[in-house]
Amino acid sequence: QVQLEESGGGMVQTGGSLRLSCVQSGRPFDTFTMGWFRQAPGKGREFVASVNWNGKSTSYGDFVKGRFTISRDNAKNTVSLQMTALEPADTAVYYCAAKWEWSQDFGHWGQGTQVTVSS
């Protein structure tokens, strides 16, 4: 019933920027904490960022170090990830995820969008 669709991935050079977007459908958007995860080839899925239902609380993975910003627009059922100062180590498939505000785990996932950063 919950559907997530990512967009905005692509190929950029080191130091470049990308903005990823995710649109949710099927449930009221403000019932979810939204998050971004990534998975590089041969590695496990890694937490990138999350934002709570009203956009007032955010969290980031340790590797982000101020380079990424997560935001949401509840009127458009959309969460975004603005990425700057991209590095080859950021190359991965990036997944949008949703978690019920009363749940511990992210249980809904998009198909992912590829981000490739060339050296």
Side-chain angles (χ1 to χ4, degrees), residues 74-98:
N74 288 349
K76 298 182 178 179
N77 290 4
T78 300
V79 62
S80 298
L81 183 71
Q82 178 67 50
M83 304 187 293
T84 62
L86 286 164
E87 305 169 353
D90 296 316
T91 296
V93 177
Y94 284 71
Y95 296 91
C96 177

Side-chain angles (χ1 to χ4, degrees), residues 2 4 22 24 29 43 47-48 56 65 70 74-75 81-82 102 105 109:
V2 177
L4 305 173
C22 173
Q24 183 272 154
F29 189 61
K43 298 183 179 179
F47 172 74
V48 178
K56 295 184 178 180
K65 299 185 184 300
I70 188 171
N74 288 349
L81 183 71
Q82 178 67 50
W102 53 88
D105 302 324
W109 299 85

Side-chain angles (χ1 to χ4, degrees), residues 6-58:
E6 302 100 332
S7 62
M11 184 178 298
V12 298
Q13 294 182 343
T14 297
S17 299
L18 284 173
R19 185 177 180 87
L20 307 183
S21 296
C22 173
V23 178
Q24 183 272 154
S25 61
R27 293 289 187 274
F29 189 61
D30 61 2
T31 63
F32 296 108
T33 288
M34 300 299 299
W36 288 95
F37 294 75
R38 70 184 189 182
Q39 188 166 20
K43 298 183 179 179
R45 189 165 293 184
E46 181 180 31
F47 172 74
V48 178
S50 66
V51 58
N52 80 327
W53 69 275
N54 63 7
K56 295 184 178 180
S57 180
T58 59

